[in-house]
Amino acid sequence: MHIANASVLDLKRRISEPLVIAIDGPAASGKGTLARRLADYFHLPHLDTGLTYRAVAHMLIDKGWSLDDEAHAIEAARQVDLANLNKHALSAHRVGEAASRVAIIPELRRILVEKQRAFARNPAGAVLDGRDIGTVVCPDADVKLYVTASAEVRAMRRLRDIENRGGSAQLAGILADIRKRDERDTGRADSPLRPAADAHLLDTSEMSIEAAFQAARGIVDDTLAKRNAS
């Protein structure tokens, strides 16, 4: 899938060393879709690091523990298994909201960051997306992308996603939620959401998924070409 222009043999020639791609950005910016397509194209494992925080939140909710209970949240973080992240179960809106709350706990973040770094040490490399990949998790990543879009565009995308799954929601409520999450993510003291100094900025507000993918792929291809020429 999505590899018509790059054979496996050609990619092996170009990627002779591990390739780590770090993708950051706010909610509904398109970073997850972009990360999956890049991972598919370059034959790399992919980790949506947001799912690790959602896994903690899901465990707290499932066990009836308070989201403000740091001890239980930290215990849940230690139990997170990156090989068993059920995206369907973790995609619920309630879980996402809870994840944004528990993600501010410093010790919890340290535990999950170590798990994410271990994932990035895959011999071939990896693609990771989240809020602090280029700044904290993989500051030495070969390619760093910061994917963003206006809050209004992101709210419309989230609404379409909900409706496509058979649900319903109000655009105004989604927009308010996105702005609240943006404020929480950018304002937290530990690992706030922000682009790395050397990240490539990609505003997808007026870009299709294909256009965003081609732009991102071009950035990665350029990095590979420079690395192989040195």
Side-chain angles (χ1 to χ4, degrees):
M1 183 178 176
H2 307 310
I3 59 172
N5 296 322
S7 69
V8 174
L9 181 60
D10 178 52
L11 282 173
K12 285 182 176 179
R13 290 194 185 108
R14 291 160 57 201
I15 308 177
S16 56
E17 303 172 24
L19 174 65
V20 176
I21 302 174
I23 304 179
D24 291 306
S29 59
K31 65 181 182 297
T33 300
L34 188 57
R36 289 190 294 273
R37 288 203 57 176
L38 288 173
D40 186 38
Y41 184 88
F42 290 104
H43 300 278
L44 295 170
H46 165 242
L47 176 63
D48 173 354
T49 62
L51 292 181
T52 64
Y53 295 94
R54 283 173 174 259
V56 172
H58 185 269
M59 191 179 300
L60 293 175
I61 293 171
D62 193 50
K63 292 182 179 294
W65 292 337
S66 169
L67 296 177
D68 298 317
D69 187 335
E70 292 195 11
H72 275 135
I74 291 168
E75 178 185 334
R78 292 195 177 102
Q79 295 180 38
V80 169
D81 181 0
L82 300 192
N84 289 291
L85 296 174
N86 186 331
K87 184 177 180 180
H88 178 73
L90 300 178
S91 64
H93 176 75
R94 180 188 180 194
V95 176
E97 269 294 288
S100 185
R101 286 178 57 184
V102 300
I104 65 173
I105 302 172
E107 180 61 21
L108 178 149
R109 296 193 67 84
R110 281 190 283 274
I111 292 168
L112 294 183
V113 164
E114 284 307 312
K115 291 175 183 281
Q116 294 158 13
R117 285 175 175 163
F119 183 91
R121 289 194 290 269
N122 176 72
V127 180
L128 294 86
D129 72 87
R131 303 286 200 280
D132 61 350
I133 311 304
T135 54
V136 175
V137 180
C138 299
D140 296 322
D142 301 284
V143 180
K144 298 177 188 177
L145 300 172
Y146 188 86
V147 183
T148 189
S150 71
E152 291 76 14
V153 167
R154 289 185 284 131
M156 281 297 303
R157 289 174 180 169
R158 182 59 55 81
L159 177 62
R160 284 198 299 268
D161 183 55
I162 292 171
E163 292 176 341
N164 288 339
R165 290 186 311 216
S168 62
Q170 295 296 317
L171 180 61
I174 296 174
L175 180 58
D177 174 57
I178 280 179
R179 285 175 171 158
K180 182 171 64 177
R181 290 186 64 180
D182 285 352
E183 183 177 357
R184 192 154 54 209
D185 289 339
T186 57
R188 64 178 178 236
D190 193 342
S191 307
L193 169 65
R194 60 181 175 82
D198 53 349
H200 297 270
L201 301 180
L202 192 61
D203 189 327
T204 66
S205 297
E206 299 182 9
M207 299 177 75
S208 66
I209 292 174
E210 184 62 27
F213 167 66
Q214 293 298 339
R217 196 195 78 177
I219 292 169
V220 178
D221 282 340
D222 185 55
T223 297
L224 288 173
K226 290 177 180 177
R227 189 168 77 176
N228 291 336
S230 61

